Amino acid sequence: MIDRILDALSRIADLGGPVVLILIAASILATTVVLIKLWQFKQARVGSHKELGAAITAWDAGDHDAARAHLSRSRSYLRDVLDHAMSGQTESARLNAEAETRFARLESGFRLLDSVAQMAPLLGLFGTVLGMISAFQSLQDAGSHVDPSILAGGIWIALLTTAVGLAVAMPTSLVLSWFETRMDKERTFAERAIHTVLSPTEPPRNA
């Protein structure tokens, strides 16, 4: 198995050069991070705040018992933050800091994905430059006996590395944008929830 993997990597290196190997490694790393983030989002119930939403609505209407009942059924990662707010914590800065701590855990790895999305096209361009240097060097070595096949190898590497760089960067950038959009919505929900609990519309109807 290991021999086959090494043989495949050797063939890839022969076809596209070391830059393609680096890009493949970057794509594997990015894919791993994406899968981990998807698992974390699912475990944290990101975007699934039905019970929290019901608790906030009940609290805003002054029905604290119903609000706590909904809160107890929630499995959201923001549950503890709202529990602190409903239990008498009135400092919004402290509650927002607690929420940000949870956001930071979910956003870990975003910087790496951003780095891959930005560096992959540059690596592809670097491979393009190396390929063209190789092509013209071969052309120079051939002297007056110019053979189109001499240029083909370098141009092939140049085009391949550019294509691989873009193929790695584009989906990584799209997935990162989706993650960031989800987290922006989470922040908006948390801010509204904390503000509603601290400043409800109706006074409490039960103790």
Side-chain angles (χ1 to χ4, degrees):
M1 180 66 178
I2 296 178
D3 291 339
R4 279 187 288 179
I5 293 175
L6 292 176
D7 183 59
L9 291 176
S10 177
R11 280 183 289 171
I12 291 172
D14 290 338
L15 287 173
V19 174
V20 171
L21 287 177
I22 295 173
L23 287 169
I24 290 174
S27 70
I28 294 173
L29 180 61
T31 301
T32 302
V33 172
V34 168
L35 292 176
I36 291 174
K37 300 318 297 181
L38 289 173
W39 178 81
Q40 287 181 338
F41 274 37
K42 182 178 180 181
Q43 291 296 111
R45 298 296 193 275
V46 172
S48 301
H49 303 306
K50 182 178 179 181
E51 291 295 341
L52 280 189
I56 295 165
T57 301
W59 188 276
D60 195 36
D63 192 349
H64 289 190
D65 287 344
R68 291 189 177 279
H70 284 296
L71 187 65
S72 65
R73 292 193 291 268
S74 173
R75 298 177 64 186
S76 169
Y77 69 102
L78 291 172
R79 173 188 169 185
D80 291 342
V81 177
L82 291 188
D83 184 49
H84 292 328
M86 292 180 181
S87 298
Q89 175 60 258
T90 58
E91 293 184 19
S92 61
R94 173 68 182 272
L95 294 171
N96 286 322
E98 290 288 338
E100 282 297 329
T101 300
R102 289 157 175 78
F103 296 149
R105 295 195 198 105
L106 291 172
E107 290 176 336
S108 62
F110 282 14
R111 191 174 293 262
L112 188 146
L113 292 177
D114 183 57
S115 297
V116 171
Q118 292 189 38
M119 288 300 297
L122 295 177
L123 282 171
L125 179 60
F126 180 60
T128 300
V129 173
L130 291 179
M132 296 307 296
I133 290 174
S134 175
F136 283 108
Q137 188 175 26
S138 298
L139 185 62
Q140 182 184 19
D141 293 340
S144 59
H145 302 287
V146 178
D147 186 349
S149 63
I150 296 177
L151 291 173
I155 294 174
W156 161 259
I157 294 175
L159 295 177
L160 182 62
T161 53
T162 301
V164 174
L166 293 174
V168 172
M170 289 187 292
T172 303
S173 181
L174 287 174
V175 172
L176 177 60
S177 295
W178 181 78
F179 280 144
E180 290 176 338
T181 300
R182 294 293 298 272
M183 292 310 301
D184 286 343
K185 291 181 180 179
E186 292 296 295
R187 279 189 169 82
T188 300
F189 176 85
E191 289 173 3
R192 183 179 68 85
I194 291 171
H195 180 75
T196 300
V197 172
L198 296 182
S199 305
T201 303
E202 299 291 336
R205 291 182 292 185
N206 35 43

